[in-house]
Amino acid sequence: MVTGGAGFIGSHLAERLQAEGREVKVVDNLASGEQRLKFLEASGIEVDRVDIRHPACTEIIEKFRPDEIYHLAAQMDVRRSVQDPVYDADVNVLGTLRVLEAAAKVDARVIAASSGGCIYGEAPVEMLPLDERSLRNPDSPYGITKAVMEDYLRFYRSNQGLDYVALALGNVYGPRQDPFGEAGVVAIFGRRLIDRRPCVIFGDGEQTRDFCYVADVVDAFVAAAERGAGELFNIGTAIETSVNELYWAIAGICEVDSPPRYEPARPGELQRSCLDSGKAKRLLGWTPSTDMDAGLRATVEFIRGRGE
Ligand SMILES: NC(=O)c1ccc[n+]([C@@H]2O[C@H](COP(=O)([O-])OP(=O)(O)OC[C@H]3O[C@@H](n4cnc5c(N)ncnc54)[C@H](O)[C@@H]3O)[C@@H](O)[C@H]2O)c1
């Protein structure tokens, strides 16, 4: 079962599992996934339009009895979490608890999506890239709810024997991403540069992120079905890319040579973020394999309507 399976990452994951011959069910309330339904329908994947907070979700889990629940459904917009922390916690904490309760009952492994950028927050530069022993220092309600999710996973493991793996993802990019959210910057720049519209960078553009291609992230979820029980893994490339570098890389692919427009930095935005995934390599056998140029080209092709 893939919660949030109509989402950007979840739809790729559901398709991969189906292609590997697994019986897949998607649970998604379509809070943001509507436009991706066509991909799931084309693959013949069954979608239950259900909210993870609703008892109907529990019933589906108890009836379907999945071996694994890939838990990706979330309120994942950092800015929305700041404006409405109650909604954020309702979905990301209470919704998650419903899923964990049901998973424990049917002995399903939960492979949960956390956020590497948001649970660690701004760390001292000399600590980068951050490994899993780094201090958690979430600086948004979204980061807090993702950090709390991991505490609950551990609690359910010790209290009810829940089998879980948590993946702290870097900034995921690739085809099908909404042009908003945590790493929507690739989708936003891509769309605007293809349309020859100006792009805005908030701050000086020297803020960095760890951009990880969606197919590599899907590989990590698949690897976590078999290994890594009870552990948190960072899933990133350990490569810092500044927003300026990203802009010029996409501009080059789109054959645009005009510079971006700069506006004042947004308060509270992370300056630097980069993840050490050595633990995932050792215990999951996972490493990212897509270089950024190839990933960006595939993303731009998709936005142009040529991909997939
Ligand atoms: N995209 C990234 O860069 C990134 C980085 C770190 C972590 N993550 C995490 O990975 C997961 C997937 O992210 P994504 O980028 O695919 O996001 P997304 O918004 O595309 O997908 C989330 C899906 O969850 C669904 N959903 C939201 N609330 C729901 C609810 N109450 N009940 C049922 N379904 C609900 C949405 O409709 C959507 O289809 C999320 O948990 C997110 O926090 C993403």
PDB file of all heavy atoms in Angstrom, residues 262-299:
ATOM      1  N   TYR A 262      16.369  38.967  -8.509  1.00  0.00           N
ATOM      2  CA  TYR A 262      16.582  38.669  -7.085  1.00  0.00           C
ATOM      3  C   TYR A 262      15.637  39.486  -6.220  1.00  0.00           C
ATOM      4  O   TYR A 262      15.443  40.679  -6.460  1.00  0.00           O
ATOM      5  CB  TYR A 262      18.037  38.954  -6.698  1.00  0.00           C
ATOM      6  CG  TYR A 262      18.991  37.946  -7.323  1.00  0.00           C
ATOM      7  CD1 TYR A 262      19.568  38.185  -8.568  1.00  0.00           C
ATOM      8  CD2 TYR A 262      19.271  36.741  -6.678  1.00  0.00           C
ATOM      9  CE1 TYR A 262      20.419  37.241  -9.155  1.00  0.00           C
ATOM     10  CE2 TYR A 262      20.118  35.797  -7.251  1.00  0.00           C
ATOM     11  CZ  TYR A 262      20.681  36.060  -8.484  1.00  0.00           C
ATOM     12  OH  TYR A 262      21.512  35.135  -9.066  1.00  0.00           O
ATOM     13  N   GLU A 263      15.027  38.830  -5.237  1.00  0.00           N
ATOM     14  CA  GLU A 263      14.167  39.524  -4.267  1.00  0.00           C
ATOM     15  C   GLU A 263      14.653  39.189  -2.862  1.00  0.00           C
ATOM     16  O   GLU A 263      15.395  38.228  -2.684  1.00  0.00           O
ATOM     17  CB  GLU A 263      12.707  39.106  -4.475  1.00  0.00           C
ATOM     18  CG  GLU A 263      12.148  39.670  -5.775  1.00  0.00           C
ATOM     19  CD  GLU A 263      10.636  39.520  -5.906  1.00  0.00           C
ATOM     20  OE1 GLU A 263       9.980  39.030  -4.975  1.00  0.00           O
ATOM     21  OE2 GLU A 263      10.143  39.898  -6.991  1.00  0.00           O
ATOM     22  N   PRO A 264      14.206  39.983  -1.867  1.00  0.00           N
ATOM     23  CA  PRO A 264      14.714  39.744  -0.502  1.00  0.00           C
ATOM     24  C   PRO A 264      14.485  38.305  -0.044  1.00  0.00           C
ATOM     25  O   PRO A 264      13.485  37.680  -0.395  1.00  0.00           O
ATOM     26  CB  PRO A 264      13.896  40.716   0.361  1.00  0.00           C
ATOM     27  CG  PRO A 264      13.435  41.772  -0.589  1.00  0.00           C
ATOM     28  CD  PRO A 264      13.282  41.129  -1.931  1.00  0.00           C
ATOM     29  N   ALA A 265      15.440  37.826   0.743  1.00  0.00           N
ATOM     30  CA  ALA A 265      15.360  36.451   1.257  1.00  0.00           C
ATOM     31  C   ALA A 265      14.090  36.275   2.075  1.00  0.00           C
ATOM     32  O   ALA A 265      13.606  37.216   2.704  1.00  0.00           O
ATOM     33  CB  ALA A 265      16.575  36.165   2.127  1.00  0.00           C
ATOM     34  N   ARG A 266      13.559  35.064   2.047  1.00  0.00           N
ATOM     35  CA  ARG A 266      12.382  34.775   2.872  1.00  0.00           C
ATOM     36  C   ARG A 266      12.840  34.434   4.287  1.00  0.00           C
ATOM     37  O   ARG A 266      13.767  33.647   4.460  1.00  0.00           O
ATOM     38  CB  ARG A 266      11.638  33.587   2.297  1.00  0.00           C
ATOM     39  CG  ARG A 266      10.909  33.934   1.024  1.00  0.00           C
ATOM     40  CD  ARG A 266      10.282  32.684   0.509  1.00  0.00           C
ATOM     41  NE  ARG A 266       9.290  32.990  -0.496  1.00  0.00           N
ATOM     42  CZ  ARG A 266       8.987  32.172  -1.493  1.00  0.00           C
ATOM     43  NH1 ARG A 266       9.597  31.018  -1.603  1.00  0.00           N
ATOM     44  NH2 ARG A 266       8.071  32.500  -2.363  1.00  0.00           N
ATOM     45  N   PRO A 267      12.161  35.006   5.290  1.00  0.00           N
ATOM     46  CA  PRO A 267      12.589  34.719   6.658  1.00  0.00           C
ATOM     47  C   PRO A 267      12.477  33.226   6.966  1.00  0.00           C
ATOM     48  O   PRO A 267      11.543  32.554   6.521  1.00  0.00           O
ATOM     49  CB  PRO A 267      11.600  35.536   7.526  1.00  0.00           C
ATOM     50  CG  PRO A 267      10.513  35.984   6.618  1.00  0.00           C
ATOM     51  CD  PRO A 267      10.990  35.889   5.213  1.00  0.00           C
ATOM     52  N   GLY A 268      13.469  32.735   7.679  1.00  0.00           N
ATOM     53  CA  GLY A 268      13.405  31.340   8.134  1.00  0.00           C
ATOM     54  C   GLY A 268      13.856  30.318   7.113  1.00  0.00           C
ATOM     55  O   GLY A 268      13.845  29.121   7.396  1.00  0.00           O
ATOM     56  N   GLU A 269      14.258  30.768   5.920  1.00  0.00           N
ATOM     57  CA  GLU A 269      14.675  29.778   4.921  1.00  0.00           C
ATOM     58  C   GLU A 269      16.054  29.207   5.271  1.00  0.00           C
ATOM     59  O   GLU A 269      16.950  29.951   5.677  1.00  0.00           O
ATOM     60  CB  GLU A 269      14.730  30.421   3.523  1.00  0.00           C
ATOM     61  CG  GLU A 269      14.602  29.377   2.437  1.00  0.00           C
ATOM     62  CD  GLU A 269      14.937  29.928   1.049  1.00  0.00           C
ATOM     63  OE1 GLU A 269      14.795  31.144   0.836  1.00  0.00           O
ATOM     64  OE2 GLU A 269      15.351  29.129   0.211  1.00  0.00           O
ATOM     65  N   LEU A 270      16.214  27.907   5.117  1.00  0.00           N
ATOM     66  CA  LEU A 270      17.507  27.257   5.380  1.00  0.00           C
ATOM     67  C   LEU A 270      18.569  27.838   4.457  1.00  0.00           C
ATOM     68  O   LEU A 270      18.314  28.070   3.293  1.00  0.00           O
ATOM     69  CB  LEU A 270      17.422  25.770   5.059  1.00  0.00           C
ATOM     70  CG  LEU A 270      16.917  24.780   6.089  1.00  0.00           C
ATOM     71  CD1 LEU A 270      17.062  23.371   5.526  1.00  0.00           C
ATOM     72  CD2 LEU A 270      17.699  24.912   7.373  1.00  0.00           C
ATOM     73  N   GLN A 271      19.777  28.042   4.992  1.00  0.00           N
ATOM     74  CA  GLN A 271      20.863  28.525   4.140  1.00  0.00           C
ATOM     75  C   GLN A 271      21.577  27.378   3.439  1.00  0.00           C
ATOM     76  O   GLN A 271      21.832  27.441   2.252  1.00  0.00           O
ATOM     77  CB  GLN A 271      21.864  29.336   4.966  1.00  0.00           C
ATOM     78  CG  GLN A 271      21.542  30.825   5.022  1.00  0.00           C
ATOM     79  CD  GLN A 271      21.174  31.405   3.656  1.00  0.00           C
ATOM     80  OE1 GLN A 271      21.970  31.401   2.723  1.00  0.00           O
ATOM     81  NE2 GLN A 271      19.942  31.895   3.516  1.00  0.00           N
ATOM     82  N   ARG A 272      21.865  26.329   4.214  1.00  0.00           N
ATOM     83  CA  ARG A 272      22.606  25.220   3.595  1.00  0.00           C
ATOM     84  C   ARG A 272      22.033  23.884   4.050  1.00  0.00           C
ATOM     85  O   ARG A 272      21.654  23.723   5.207  1.00  0.00           O
ATOM     86  CB  ARG A 272      24.093  25.309   3.952  1.00  0.00           C
ATOM     87  CG  ARG A 272      24.708  26.526   3.310  1.00  0.00           C
ATOM     88  CD  ARG A 272      26.160  26.650   3.632  1.00  0.00           C
ATOM     89  NE  ARG A 272      26.952  25.548   3.089  1.00  0.00           N
ATOM     90  CZ  ARG A 272      28.283  25.525   3.152  1.00  0.00           C
ATOM     91  NH1 ARG A 272      28.944  26.518   3.695  1.00  0.00           N
ATOM     92  NH2 ARG A 272      28.953  24.503   2.651  1.00  0.00           N
ATOM     93  N   SER A 273      21.968  22.964   3.129  1.00  0.00           N
ATOM     94  CA  SER A 273      21.420  21.653   3.454  1.00  0.00           C
ATOM     95  C   SER A 273      22.092  20.598   2.579  1.00  0.00           C
ATOM     96  O   SER A 273      22.199  20.766   1.371  1.00  0.00           O
ATOM     97  CB  SER A 273      19.905  21.687   3.215  1.00  0.00           C
ATOM     98  OG  SER A 273      19.353  20.417   3.452  1.00  0.00           O
ATOM     99  N   CYS A 274      22.546  19.532   3.207  1.00  0.00           N
ATOM    100  CA  CYS A 274      23.241  18.478   2.479  1.00  0.00           C
ATOM    101  C   CYS A 274      23.301  17.229   3.361  1.00  0.00           C
ATOM    102  O   CYS A 274      23.581  17.322   4.551  1.00  0.00           O
ATOM    103  CB  CYS A 274      24.651  18.978   2.154  1.00  0.00           C
ATOM    104  SG  CYS A 274      25.536  17.898   1.044  1.00  0.00           S
ATOM    105  N   LEU A 275      23.018  16.077   2.761  1.00  0.00           N
ATOM    106  CA  LEU A 275      22.867  14.854   3.556  1.00  0.00           C
ATOM    107  C   LEU A 275      23.939  13.823   3.240  1.00  0.00           C
ATOM    108  O   LEU A 275      24.249  13.574   2.076  1.00  0.00           O
ATOM    109  CB  LEU A 275      21.490  14.231   3.285  1.00  0.00           C
ATOM    110  CG  LEU A 275      20.274  15.087   3.628  1.00  0.00           C
ATOM    111  CD1 LEU A 275      19.003  14.385   3.156  1.00  0.00           C
ATOM    112  CD2 LEU A 275      20.209  15.370   5.119  1.00  0.00           C
ATOM    113  N   ASP A 276      24.455  13.217   4.290  1.00  0.00           N
ATOM    114  CA  ASP A 276      25.378  12.091   4.155  1.00  0.00           C
ATOM    115  C   ASP A 276      24.542  10.805   4.163  1.00  0.00           C
ATOM    116  O   ASP A 276      23.857  10.517   5.142  1.00  0.00           O
ATOM    117  CB  ASP A 276      26.339  12.123   5.360  1.00  0.00           C
ATOM    118  CG  ASP A 276      27.310  10.952   5.372  1.00  0.00           C
ATOM    119  OD1 ASP A 276      27.037   9.938   4.700  1.00  0.00           O
ATOM    120  OD2 ASP A 276      28.331  11.058   6.071  1.00  0.00           O
ATOM    121  N   SER A 277      24.601  10.065   3.064  1.00  0.00           N
ATOM    122  CA  SER A 277      23.793   8.836   2.960  1.00  0.00           C
ATOM    123  C   SER A 277      24.638   7.581   3.110  1.00  0.00           C
ATOM    124  O   SER A 277      24.260   6.513   2.624  1.00  0.00           O
ATOM    125  CB  SER A 277      23.061   8.804   1.612  1.00  0.00           C
ATOM    126  OG  SER A 277      22.206   9.894   1.499  1.00  0.00           O
ATOM    127  N   GLY A 278      25.769   7.705   3.788  1.00  0.00           N
ATOM    128  CA  GLY A 278      26.661   6.549   3.962  1.00  0.00           C
ATOM    129  C   GLY A 278      25.969   5.380   4.648  1.00  0.00           C
ATOM    130  O   GLY A 278      26.211   4.215   4.319  1.00  0.00           O
ATOM    131  N   LYS A 279      25.084   5.697   5.597  1.00  0.00           N
ATOM    132  CA  LYS A 279      24.392   4.615   6.320  1.00  0.00           C
ATOM    133  C   LYS A 279      23.463   3.848   5.369  1.00  0.00           C
ATOM    134  O   LYS A 279      23.389   2.616   5.417  1.00  0.00           O
ATOM    135  CB  LYS A 279      23.594   5.221   7.481  1.00  0.00           C
ATOM    136  CG  LYS A 279      22.897   4.200   8.337  1.00  0.00           C
ATOM    137  CD  LYS A 279      22.188   4.897   9.513  1.00  0.00           C
ATOM    138  CE  LYS A 279      21.257   3.976  10.253  1.00  0.00           C
ATOM    139  NZ  LYS A 279      20.452   4.701  11.263  1.00  0.00           N
ATOM    140  N   ALA A 280      22.787   4.576   4.468  1.00  0.00           N
ATOM    141  CA  ALA A 280      21.907   3.915   3.492  1.00  0.00           C
ATOM    142  C   ALA A 280      22.739   3.034   2.559  1.00  0.00           C
ATOM    143  O   ALA A 280      22.314   1.951   2.155  1.00  0.00           O
ATOM    144  CB  ALA A 280      21.118   4.946   2.692  1.00  0.00           C
ATOM    145  N   LYS A 281      23.939   3.484   2.238  1.00  0.00           N
ATOM    146  CA  LYS A 281      24.806   2.675   1.371  1.00  0.00           C
ATOM    147  C   LYS A 281      25.197   1.380   2.096  1.00  0.00           C
ATOM    148  O   LYS A 281      25.107   0.290   1.539  1.00  0.00           O
ATOM    149  CB  LYS A 281      26.053   3.488   0.995  1.00  0.00           C
ATOM    150  CG  LYS A 281      26.936   2.773   0.020  1.00  0.00           C
ATOM    151  CD  LYS A 281      28.103   3.641  -0.395  1.00  0.00           C
ATOM    152  CE  LYS A 281      28.952   2.867  -1.402  1.00  0.00           C
ATOM    153  NZ  LYS A 281      30.125   3.595  -1.804  1.00  0.00           N
ATOM    154  N   ARG A 282      25.581   1.542   3.356  1.00  0.00           N
ATOM    155  CA  ARG A 282      26.051   0.363   4.117  1.00  0.00           C
ATOM    156  C   ARG A 282      24.922  -0.623   4.398  1.00  0.00           C
ATOM    157  O   ARG A 282      25.071  -1.824   4.215  1.00  0.00           O
ATOM    158  CB  ARG A 282      26.652   0.813   5.457  1.00  0.00           C
ATOM    159  CG  ARG A 282      28.021   1.457   5.355  1.00  0.00           C
ATOM    160  CD  ARG A 282      28.674   1.575   6.731  1.00  0.00           C
ATOM    161  NE  ARG A 282      27.826   2.212   7.729  1.00  0.00           N
ATOM    162  CZ  ARG A 282      27.670   3.526   7.874  1.00  0.00           C
ATOM    163  NH1 ARG A 282      28.298   4.348   7.063  1.00  0.00           N
ATOM    164  NH2 ARG A 282      26.896   4.032   8.809  1.00  0.00           N
ATOM    165  N   LEU A 283      23.784  -0.125   4.864  1.00  0.00           N
ATOM    166  CA  LEU A 283      22.748  -1.049   5.361  1.00  0.00           C
ATOM    167  C   LEU A 283      21.640  -1.346   4.352  1.00  0.00           C
ATOM    168  O   LEU A 283      21.001  -2.389   4.428  1.00  0.00           O
ATOM    169  CB  LEU A 283      22.123  -0.498   6.657  1.00  0.00           C
ATOM    170  CG  LEU A 283      23.084  -0.300   7.833  1.00  0.00           C
ATOM    171  CD1 LEU A 283      22.313   0.103   9.087  1.00  0.00           C
ATOM    172  CD2 LEU A 283      23.884  -1.560   8.127  1.00  0.00           C
ATOM    173  N   LEU A 284      21.398  -0.412   3.427  1.00  0.00           N
ATOM    174  CA  LEU A 284      20.352  -0.675   2.421  1.00  0.00           C
ATOM    175  C   LEU A 284      20.950  -1.038   1.067  1.00  0.00           C
ATOM    176  O   LEU A 284      20.238  -1.458   0.158  1.00  0.00           O
ATOM    177  CB  LEU A 284      19.456   0.565   2.223  1.00  0.00           C
ATOM    178  CG  LEU A 284      18.646   1.075   3.413  1.00  0.00           C
ATOM    179  CD1 LEU A 284      17.852   2.325   3.019  1.00  0.00           C
ATOM    180  CD2 LEU A 284      17.696   0.005   3.941  1.00  0.00           C
ATOM    181  N   GLY A 285      22.253  -0.816   0.932  1.00  0.00           N
ATOM    182  CA  GLY A 285      22.880  -1.034  -0.377  1.00  0.00           C
ATOM    183  C   GLY A 285      22.435   0.018  -1.380  1.00  0.00           C
ATOM    184  O   GLY A 285      22.449  -0.213  -2.584  1.00  0.00           O
ATOM    185  N   TRP A 286      22.066   1.212  -0.873  1.00  0.00           N
ATOM    186  CA  TRP A 286      21.518   2.255  -1.752  1.00  0.00           C
ATOM    187  C   TRP A 286      22.541   3.366  -2.017  1.00  0.00           C
ATOM    188  O   TRP A 286      23.174   3.861  -1.084  1.00  0.00           O
ATOM    189  CB  TRP A 286      20.276   2.897  -1.116  1.00  0.00           C
ATOM    190  CG  TRP A 286      19.713   4.016  -1.966  1.00  0.00           C
ATOM    191  CD1 TRP A 286      18.846   3.889  -2.991  1.00  0.00           C
ATOM    192  CD2 TRP A 286      20.008   5.420  -1.858  1.00  0.00           C
ATOM    193  NE1 TRP A 286      18.572   5.121  -3.544  1.00  0.00           N
ATOM    194  CE2 TRP A 286      19.265   6.078  -2.874  1.00  0.00           C
ATOM    195  CE3 TRP A 286      20.818   6.190  -1.017  1.00  0.00           C
ATOM    196  CZ2 TRP A 286      19.309   7.461  -3.062  1.00  0.00           C
ATOM    197  CZ3 TRP A 286      20.869   7.572  -1.207  1.00  0.00           C
ATOM    198  CH2 TRP A 286      20.115   8.187  -2.229  1.00  0.00           C
ATOM    199  N   THR A 287      22.672   3.735  -3.281  1.00  0.00           N
ATOM    200  CA  THR A 287      23.385   4.975  -3.626  1.00  0.00           C
ATOM    201  C   THR A 287      22.622   5.638  -4.776  1.00  0.00           C
ATOM    202  O   THR A 287      22.028   4.943  -5.607  1.00  0.00           O
ATOM    203  CB  THR A 287      24.840   4.733  -4.122  1.00  0.00           C
ATOM    204  OG1 THR A 287      24.820   3.658  -5.050  1.00  0.00           O
ATOM    205  CG2 THR A 287      25.808   4.442  -3.007  1.00  0.00           C
ATOM    206  N   PRO A 288      22.650   6.957  -4.833  1.00  0.00           N
ATOM    207  CA  PRO A 288      21.979   7.622  -5.950  1.00  0.00           C
ATOM    208  C   PRO A 288      22.770   7.393  -7.231  1.00  0.00           C
ATOM    209  O   PRO A 288      23.993   7.363  -7.202  1.00  0.00           O
ATOM    210  CB  PRO A 288      21.997   9.102  -5.549  1.00  0.00           C
ATOM    211  CG  PRO A 288      23.116   9.228  -4.580  1.00  0.00           C
ATOM    212  CD  PRO A 288      23.280   7.904  -3.905  1.00  0.00           C
ATOM    213  N   SER A 289      22.071   7.213  -8.348  1.00  0.00           N
ATOM    214  CA  SER A 289      22.834   6.911  -9.570  1.00  0.00           C
ATOM    215  C   SER A 289      22.583   7.909 -10.700  1.00  0.00           C
ATOM    216  O   SER A 289      23.175   7.791 -11.763  1.00  0.00           O
ATOM    217  CB  SER A 289      22.507   5.490 -10.043  1.00  0.00           C
ATOM    218  OG  SER A 289      21.138   5.391 -10.333  1.00  0.00           O
ATOM    219  N   THR A 290      21.687   8.865 -10.488  1.00  0.00           N
ATOM    220  CA  THR A 290      21.359   9.805 -11.576  1.00  0.00           C
ATOM    221  C   THR A 290      22.149  11.091 -11.388  1.00  0.00           C
ATOM    222  O   THR A 290      22.026  11.742 -10.336  1.00  0.00           O
ATOM    223  CB  THR A 290      19.851  10.142 -11.554  1.00  0.00           C
ATOM    224  OG1 THR A 290      19.130   8.923 -11.469  1.00  0.00           O
ATOM    225  CG2 THR A 290      19.435  10.934 -12.784  1.00  0.00           C
ATOM    226  N   ASP A 291      22.963  11.479 -12.371  1.00  0.00           N
ATOM    227  CA  ASP A 291      23.639  12.762 -12.195  1.00  0.00           C
ATOM    228  C   ASP A 291      22.671  13.904 -12.503  1.00  0.00           C
ATOM    229  O   ASP A 291      21.639  13.716 -13.155  1.00  0.00           O
ATOM    230  CB  ASP A 291      24.976  12.848 -12.949  1.00  0.00           C
ATOM    231  CG  ASP A 291      24.797  13.050 -14.434  1.00  0.00           C
ATOM    232  OD1 ASP A 291      23.945  13.865 -14.857  1.00  0.00           O
ATOM    233  OD2 ASP A 291      25.523  12.404 -15.184  1.00  0.00           O
ATOM    234  N   MET A 292      23.017  15.070 -11.965  1.00  0.00           N
ATOM    235  CA  MET A 292      22.052  16.161 -11.979  1.00  0.00           C
ATOM    236  C   MET A 292      21.671  16.594 -13.391  1.00  0.00           C
ATOM    237  O   MET A 292      20.500  16.872 -13.672  1.00  0.00           O
ATOM    238  CB  MET A 292      22.595  17.340 -11.206  1.00  0.00           C
ATOM    239  CG  MET A 292      21.529  18.326 -10.924  1.00  0.00           C
ATOM    240  SD  MET A 292      21.915  19.268  -9.489  1.00  0.00           S
ATOM    241  CE  MET A 292      20.313  19.883  -9.117  1.00  0.00           C
ATOM    242  N   ASP A 293      22.632  16.623 -14.289  1.00  0.00           N
ATOM    243  CA  ASP A 293      22.320  17.065 -15.643  1.00  0.00           C
ATOM    244  C   ASP A 293      21.275  16.125 -16.276  1.00  0.00           C
ATOM    245  O   ASP A 293      20.280  16.589 -16.850  1.00  0.00           O
ATOM    246  CB  ASP A 293      23.605  17.102 -16.493  1.00  0.00           C
ATOM    247  CG  ASP A 293      23.303  17.615 -17.891  1.00  0.00           C
ATOM    248  OD1 ASP A 293      22.802  18.758 -18.011  1.00  0.00           O
ATOM    249  OD2 ASP A 293      23.538  16.873 -18.864  1.00  0.00           O
ATOM    250  N   ALA A 294      21.475  14.821 -16.124  1.00  0.00           N
ATOM    251  CA  ALA A 294      20.518  13.857 -16.704  1.00  0.00           C
ATOM    252  C   ALA A 294      19.142  14.012 -16.047  1.00  0.00           C
ATOM    253  O   ALA A 294      18.104  13.985 -16.721  1.00  0.00           O
ATOM    254  CB  ALA A 294      21.043  12.433 -16.524  1.00  0.00           C
ATOM    255  N   GLY A 295      19.129  14.191 -14.725  1.00  0.00           N
ATOM    256  CA  GLY A 295      17.858  14.332 -13.997  1.00  0.00           C
ATOM    257  C   GLY A 295      17.124  15.598 -14.413  1.00  0.00           C
ATOM    258  O   GLY A 295      15.904  15.592 -14.627  1.00  0.00           O
ATOM    259  N   LEU A 296      17.883  16.700 -14.560  1.00  0.00           N
ATOM    260  CA  LEU A 296      17.241  17.961 -14.953  1.00  0.00           C
ATOM    261  C   LEU A 296      16.713  17.878 -16.387  1.00  0.00           C
ATOM    262  O   LEU A 296      15.628  18.371 -16.695  1.00  0.00           O
ATOM    263  CB  LEU A 296      18.218  19.131 -14.820  1.00  0.00           C
ATOM    264  CG  LEU A 296      18.621  19.506 -13.384  1.00  0.00           C
ATOM    265  CD1 LEU A 296      19.643  20.642 -13.401  1.00  0.00           C
ATOM    266  CD2 LEU A 296      17.405  19.900 -12.549  1.00  0.00           C
ATOM    267  N   ARG A 297      17.483  17.233 -17.255  1.00  0.00           N
ATOM    268  CA  ARG A 297      17.032  17.102 -18.656  1.00  0.00           C
ATOM    269  C   ARG A 297      15.730  16.294 -18.734  1.00  0.00           C
ATOM    270  O   ARG A 297      14.802  16.653 -19.450  1.00  0.00           O
ATOM    271  CB  ARG A 297      18.109  16.441 -19.523  1.00  0.00           C
ATOM    272  CG  ARG A 297      19.182  17.411 -19.926  1.00  0.00           C
ATOM    273  CD  ARG A 297      20.259  16.809 -20.809  1.00  0.00           C
ATOM    274  NE  ARG A 297      21.362  17.751 -20.846  1.00  0.00           N
ATOM    275  CZ  ARG A 297      21.388  18.852 -21.601  1.00  0.00           C
ATOM    276  NH1 ARG A 297      20.403  19.121 -22.427  1.00  0.00           N
ATOM    277  NH2 ARG A 297      22.401  19.692 -21.538  1.00  0.00           N
ATOM    278  N   ALA A 298      15.665  15.207 -17.968  1.00  0.00           N
ATOM    279  CA  ALA A 298      14.443  14.381 -17.982  1.00  0.00           C
ATOM    280  C   ALA A 298      13.262  15.191 -17.441  1.00  0.00           C
ATOM    281  O   ALA A 298      12.137  15.085 -17.940  1.00  0.00           O
ATOM    282  CB  ALA A 298      14.654  13.123 -17.143  1.00  0.00           C
ATOM    283  N   THR A 299      13.527  16.019 -16.447  1.00  0.00           N
ATOM    284  CA  THR A 299      12.461  16.822 -15.843  1.00  0.00           C
ATOM    285  C   THR A 299      11.963  17.876 -16.834  1.00  0.00           C
ATOM    286  O   THR A 299      10.754  18.072 -17.011  1.00  0.00           O
ATOM    287  CB  THR A 299      12.969  17.507 -14.552  1.00  0.00           C
ATOM    288  OG1 THR A 299      13.557  16.504 -13.721  1.00  0.00           O
ATOM    289  CG2 THR A 299      11.843  18.195 -13.801  1.00  0.00           C
TER     290      THR A 299
END
